[in-house]
Amino acid sequence: MTKTWGVKELPKTLNENQYNSLENGLLKNIFIFGEDPLGCAQNKVKVSGWLSVADFVLVQDYFMTETAKVADLILPASFPVEIGGSFTNTQKTIQVFEAEIPSKVENDSIVQLSMLLKKFGLKGFKTSKDVMNEIISMLSAELPESNRTFVYTEGQDCNRMFNYGCDVIVKRFEENFDNAMKD
């Protein structure tokens, strides 16, 4: 990883609890991709507090969400079926999509992210397959299967914090469905 990423060293362990980092105001720059934590939060005051203490909030989304409305910068997102790849939502569910239709956005989500990374002097990717190829290239053949599992940290909070998995598309579908059933 050090060679691939061009860094001198990697942390010995990574046991950061992002929830605690948000609660303690340690995350100063936040990039929210395809989620609406403010709009789907069970405790909107808490989530609003997280966003208000950040120095910079960037939202890349398909719709003008409640979270996007408080962002410092909004980028248009491509739908997962437009770019393909795997997506992990705030409920820790990995969803895999194939690119099925062309993106309506001039620079799709991956190209936008790559352009941002290049501004920071980092290597970008052209497609979601490039990302997956890098991940696979760094897996050691000698690594036992038991070491290829997700591990929850001690500080992990497994309590549900967001309705709809924090996904505004699911939220809109359920709200529209409920409204259609009332009519």
Side-chain angles (χ1 to χ4, degrees), residues 14-17 20 151-158:
L14 183 60
N15 195 14
E16 276 299 312
N17 180 306
N20 287 342
V151 178
Y152 289 103
T153 62
E154 282 184 31
Q156 189 101 22
D157 182 358
C158 295

Side-chain angles (χ1 to χ4, degrees), residues 24-170:
N24 297 321
L26 299 176
L27 299 179
K28 296 298 179 188
N29 299 298
I30 301 174
F31 184 164
I32 300 168
F33 171 79
E35 300 278 356
D36 184 19
L38 186 56
C40 297
Q42 292 180 354
N43 185 339
K44 289 183 187 237
V45 172
K46 182 179 284 204
V47 175
S48 179
W50 296 341
L51 299 174
S52 67
V53 298
D55 292 339
F56 189 79
V57 177
L58 187 153
V59 170
Q60 187 179 43
D61 212 325
Y62 330 105
F63 306 105
M64 180 55 72
T65 63
E66 287 185 54
T67 305
K69 289 176 183 175
V70 301
D72 297 296
L73 177 63
I74 305 165
L75 298 176
S78 304
F79 287 102
V81 296
E82 294 176 330
I83 57 175
S86 62
F87 300 81
T88 306
N89 67 16
T90 52
Q91 298 304 108
K92 304 170 191 138
T93 302
I94 299 172
Q95 305 162 341
V96 179
F97 294 87
E98 292 295 326
E100 299 290 342
I101 57 176
S103 179
K104 302 286 186 215
V105 178
E106 182 178 345
N107 290 316
D108 68 38
S109 297
I110 295 172
V111 171
Q112 291 175 39
L113 181 57
S114 290
M115 291 166 66
L116 285 171
L117 290 171
K118 286 179 185 175
K119 292 284 184 189
F120 289 103
L122 302 170
K123 175 185 160 194
F125 296 99
K126 292 184 179 167
T127 68
S128 61
K129 290 184 185 199
D130 295 337
V131 176
M132 188 56 70
N133 287 337
E134 180 179 291
I135 292 169
I136 291 169
S137 75
M138 289 192 280
L139 289 175
S140 170
E142 295 83 39
L143 188 64
E145 187 68 31
S146 63
N147 287 350
R148 296 182 186 174
T149 59
F150 287 104
V151 178
Y152 289 103
T153 62
E154 282 184 31
Q156 189 101 22
D157 182 358
C158 295
N159 296 316
R160 183 177 169 158
M161 296 174 51
F162 302 101
N163 296 314
Y164 315 103
C166 196
D167 187 331
V168 73
I169 293 176
V170 175

